[in-house]
Amino acid sequence: MCLKSDITAEDGAASADWVVLTAALVGLTLAVLNVASTGLTDLSNDVGADVARQGVSPTFEQTAYTRTDGFSAYDVAAYDKLVADLRSLNDGDLVVANAVLTATGAAALAGGGTVSSHDQGRQKDVAAALDKVFGERGVIRDTTPGSFDEAEAARIFTALGWPPAPTLN
């Protein structure tokens, strides 16, 4: 038998075969969809939970992940906390924190020996957070390492719950 002749046949047995075959395909399709829909629902719920856990913003607000200058934080959680902490400072305290973080960062990078990639990543996060907060206030950040009042630095670091301000002795 030829498939073409089966398709064009109009006698009773051939038509009945096609009806049965089509019904079987429809039934099989429905069965597969029924089985797959449970798994797909579970999978989509898992993906949704992962996206929510990673903090992807449904409003497309700018975060450490979406900075327009191409910066990608080394430690996103620490970077975001640092930005929030720096935003909480008044302008004078921000200048002191900048002096401390810039001076100690430069000292750590220039202090001889090998600086780990972790330390380099954290230094980049600190510089980017300072740039971000100063930029939000419309102020250009002084990146020249200089001196700072250690008592003021200690007061600010304590208020933020940070470890004691490092000294440059």
Side-chain angles (χ1 to χ4, degrees):
M1 274 192 159
C2 177
L3 182 61
K4 184 176 181 183
S5 64
D6 285 342
I7 292 174
T8 58
E10 295 183 12
D11 59 344
S15 295
D17 287 346
W18 279 108
V19 169
V20 169
L21 216 98
T22 303
L25 275 173
V26 168
L28 181 62
T29 301
L30 291 174
V32 167
L33 285 175
N34 187 36
V35 170
S37 68
T38 303
L40 290 175
T41 301
D42 291 345
L43 181 60
S44 67
N45 289 338
D46 292 346
V47 169
D50 283 346
V51 169
R53 184 172 43 252
Q54 292 176 13
V56 176
S57 172
T59 60
F60 300 105
E61 65 188 33
Q62 190 170 357
T63 66
Y65 295 105
T66 59
R67 294 239 339 234
T68 56
D69 61 3
F71 171 76
S72 179
Y74 174 77
D75 181 339
V76 174
Y79 170 83
D80 288 342
K81 181 179 182 334
L82 180 59
V83 168
D85 287 349
L86 292 172
R87 283 178 177 153
S88 73
L89 297 175
N90 64 42
D91 288 346
D93 288 351
L94 181 62
V95 169
V96 172
N98 176 57
V100 174
L101 295 170
T102 301
T104 57
L109 294 175
T114 304
V115 178
S116 72
S117 61
H118 172 76
D119 290 338
Q120 290 175 355
R122 297 282 295 162
Q123 288 299 328
K124 289 178 183 177
D125 285 359
V126 167
L130 286 164
D131 287 341
K132 179 179 183 92
V133 174
F134 272 91
E136 290 171 352
R137 296 183 185 190
V139 178
I140 296 174
R141 179 172 80 91
D142 182 5
T143 58
T144 307
S147 62
F148 54 88
D149 182 342
E150 291 183 9
E152 277 295 293
R155 178 188 61 77
I156 294 166
F157 276 50
T158 301
L160 291 174
W162 292 359
T167 60
L168 295 177
N169 296 337

